[in-house]
Amino acid sequence: MRVAIVGSRKYTNKRKIQEFVFKLKQKWGDKLEVVSGGQKDGADGYAKKYSLEFGVNYSEFPPKHYQYNQHCVLESYNYGRKYATWHYHHRNKQIAEYCDVMVAFIPKDLVSKGTESALHEATKREKKVVDRKLDREL
């Protein structure tokens, strides 16, 4: 089960993501893979932190202008490019294609265009989408 955890860089409720990843681990065990976009702050950063702490399989799709790291799904030659904003949208498309389910963590009353882009890509591909503002469970 590949669960993409996406969301705003302004998302600060790390405990909510910690508990969510822990519940996923309990439910799916070694069959679980958490997928994220490689942002250091916010939802992506917490997804990475707690996935690694709980020993969950973790993969990421950073934008092409980021540097390659050991968690990247794509080969190293895909990274280190010149900055371009479209890299974020391309990354969102890759996450949507790769995951089985996409879960978004966005602060209440915040519009996150990047997260909305990822959700749109997942919906377009008929993936299950869960918005944690609504607190629905998988």
Side-chain angles (χ1 to χ4, degrees):
M1 170 62 80
R2 292 178 176 164
V3 179
I5 297 179
V6 300
S8 169
R9 290 180 217 159
K10 294 182 180 178
Y11 190 84
T12 59
N13 191 344
K14 62 183 174 183
R15 184 172 183 176
K16 195 169 190 176
I17 294 179
Q18 179 185 36
E19 290 171 354
F20 183 72
V21 172
F22 184 76
K23 286 179 186 177
L24 288 174
K25 168 82 174 176
Q26 285 183 312
K27 182 173 182 175
W28 297 100
D30 291 338
K31 295 177 184 172
L32 173 65
E33 180 180 353
V34 170
V35 183
S36 200
Q39 296 300 322
K40 178 180 74 161
D41 299 318
D44 288 17
Y46 297 135
K48 182 175 187 174
K49 174 181 174 43
Y50 295 117
S51 294
L52 297 176
E53 281 185 16
F54 294 140
V56 171
N57 298 314
Y58 175 78
S59 300
E60 65 186 31
F61 288 88
K64 290 181 182 258
H65 56 271
Y66 278 37
Q67 293 302 310
Y68 174 83
N69 70 67
Q70 67 185 9
H71 304 291
C72 292
V73 174
L74 303 176
E75 298 292 332
S76 61
Y77 62 81
N78 289 288
Y79 300 99
R81 309 274 174 94
K82 186 176 176 184
Y83 174 85
T85 55
W86 66 267
H87 289 165
Y88 291 105
H89 297 290
H90 186 256
R91 179 264 321 260
N92 293 341
K93 179 181 172 185
Q94 292 172 321
I95 293 170
E97 289 170 346
Y98 188 78
C99 74
D100 298 310
V101 177
M102 184 175 287
V103 182
F105 288 86
I106 309 167
K108 209 173 198 174
D109 304 322
L110 178 78
V111 175
S112 175
K113 290 181 182 179
T115 306
E116 292 301 322
S117 165
L119 294 172
H120 172 74
E121 293 293 342
T123 302
K124 208 160 78 171
R125 287 162 181 73
E126 299 181 358
K127 304 291 177 113
K128 183 175 180 180
V129 173
V130 180
D131 183 340
R132 295 305 292 174
K133 279 198 279 192
L134 304 175
D135 283 327
R136 290 181 287 170
E137 292 298 321
L138 282 178

